[in-house]
Amino acid sequence: RRNECLGMISDLNANVPACFINFLGRPASTFTGAAFMARTMGAAILPVFIDRLPDNTHCMRYQPAILPADTGDKERDLFYTTMRIHYVIGEEVRRRPHDWFWLLNRWKTRPEDVEHPEKIFMEHRDLTPAQVAEILAPVKAHAAATSTG
């Protein structure tokens, strides 16, 4: 509201899931808080990553902004935006797996453990591969354009 930045860590297991998205090839129980904040505030999400360099210094890198999805359906918008956020995180983990330091079980909550799964968006259940490709197209286009090989 004061035009300031807010940092959030998004690759956490949600004990009470808002949705399940595919993260590194597996359904991951995921919070939609970052998407909610962006949608509510009308803000873009700026992915930031820190690379450890060979001389043990670090370099902060910014990825292209992720704009909140706008389908006219609030819950679907949160789900789609969350998918985009986690696609970008997943690509970073694949690019530099040695920099992804994680001690928690990212996949602790599983779809079959949810009490009312019909009430939760699940990428692997609710979307076709073509729909996933369409939803992720904006961030995939940025990734292809900014790829360093």
Side-chain angles (χ1 to χ4, degrees), residues 9-15 28-31 86 102 104-106:
I9 297 174
S10 294
D11 55 344
L12 299 169
N13 175 69
N15 293 327
S29 177
T30 306
F31 297 108
H86 284 79
W102 210 240
L104 303 174
N105 183 355
R106 178 62 184 95

Side-chain angles (χ1 to χ4, degrees), residues 21-29 94 105 107-108 110 124:
I21 52 91
N22 287 331
F23 184 64
L24 300 174
R26 295 173 59 188
S29 177
R94 285 183 175 96
N105 183 355
W107 296 273
K108 181 179 178 182
R110 301 173 304 164
H124 65 283

